[in-house]
Amino acid sequence: MTAVRVQCAQGTPCWVSLMARDLGTAETFYGALLGWEFESGPVRLGRYVRATLNGAPVAGLGVAPADLGFPVEWTTYFAADSTDGTAQRIRECGGTVAVGPLQADESGRLVIASDVSGAVFGVWEGQEHQGWQTVGVPGAPAWTELVTSDGDAAAAFYGSVFGPAVERSGDDAVLRVEGRAVAGIRGAAALRGGPPRWRIYFAVADADRAARRAVELGGRLLVEPQESMHGRVARLSDPEGGRFSVVQR
């Protein structure tokens, strides 16, 4: 695949961040699986590093406060022109703002919130750090989608909060910014009994090989590699239970 340099407009997914229990464990696992290197990130919220791929930032890894009982989970962040204005719209549309708006050193401002179904997501107003800088190549983010119990409510919520066009197809939807598909929404059939959440897909050269490698590194295979509308995908978790998918296009 050819690398795509990214300019994140309002309403576009622009970053993913993992809150781990042990940062060293996460760095070892994802570094070996996806070819990441790491550099220091903002310290306002605790220990945090940025994962880079050939020098380009692609994701963040931080440490979850042990006393708050946060699960190990990837969070998708959406670009916003104003975190303050977006936080207000989230509340007006029935969502919940849990953190922020908060300044993350000189990098930017963030909000962590949940939508009308309880799925957690972030909002990022970039300053020195605008978000991921490459997508679609092995080791980089490739796609993000919401799995939710109510696709209609989710489509209305994200369309109202961020302003993207929403293209419906049955119980599913695609969010479009400036005509480009930027994220997906999948209805109740995709949940398979789990909680509503945003899924992140990382591109790999070979989904079957990546699935085997993840298990060798201490992760788990949640769903066997299979063909999908996005390409050949496998659903995995890291050694601490953080869930993610890999996709071979």
Side-chain angles (χ1 to χ4, degrees):
M1 287 183 221
T2 301
V4 178
R5 300 291 290 181
V6 181
Q7 182 65 41
C8 298
Q10 163 92 14
T12 304
C14 66
W15 193 242
V16 286
S17 190
L18 175 75
M19 297 307 289
R21 296 190 183 92
D22 184 273
L23 190 55
T25 296
E27 286 180 313
T28 298
F29 176 82
Y30 289 101
L33 181 65
L34 297 174
W36 291 350
E37 296 180 336
F38 302 93
E39 59 185 31
S40 297
V43 297
R44 172 74 184 271
L45 300 179
R47 293 176 61 207
Y48 190 82
V49 297
R50 292 194 186 115
T52 65
L53 187 69
N54 299 321
V58 291
L61 305 175
V63 178
D67 56 335
L68 297 182
F70 287 154
V72 175
E73 199 73 86
W74 282 98
T75 299
T76 295
Y77 284 76
F78 290 82
D81 298 331
S82 166
T83 47
D84 296 87
T86 302
Q88 181 60 31
R89 287 195 297 276
I90 289 169
R91 296 186 184 99
E92 291 171 352
C93 295
T96 301
V97 175
V99 176
L102 183 68
Q103 188 72 32
D105 296 349
E106 302 303 315
S107 297
R109 288 171 61 77
L110 66 85
V111 164
I112 299 175
S114 57
D115 65 21
V116 287
S117 70
V120 175
F121 66 98
V123 180
W124 182 251
E125 180 185 345
Q127 294 169 354
E128 287 188 355
H129 172 66
Q130 294 296 317
W132 52 40
Q133 291 299 303
T134 188
V135 296
V137 297
W143 183 246
T144 186
E145 66 184 13
L146 175 70
V147 287
T148 182
S149 55
D150 191 335
D152 289 335
F157 175 84
Y158 289 97
S160 297
V161 169
F162 292 108
V166 180
E167 182 179 291
R168 299 304 308 275
S169 177
D171 201 26
D172 298 339
V174 172
L175 303 182
R176 292 186 177 273
V177 173
E178 299 173 353
R180 181 170 63 91
V182 298
I185 295 175
R186 301 189 63 194
L191 271 178
R192 299 183 180 179
R197 63 190 181 278
W198 279 94
R199 284 182 185 156
I200 179 65
Y201 291 75
F202 295 107
V204 293
D206 186 318
D208 296 79
R209 184 182 303 159
R212 291 193 298 269
R213 182 62 174 144
V215 173
E216 292 170 358
L217 293 166
R220 292 179 55 211
L221 177 62
L222 303 180
V223 178
E224 294 276 353
Q226 57 189 266
E227 299 301 324
S228 77
M229 68 181 71
H230 305 302
R232 189 161 180 80
V233 302
R235 198 165 306 148
L236 307 165
S237 70
D238 63 30
E240 294 188 326
R243 294 168 293 187
F244 64 101
S245 297
V246 294
V247 56
Q248 169 192 339
R249 286 177 170 171

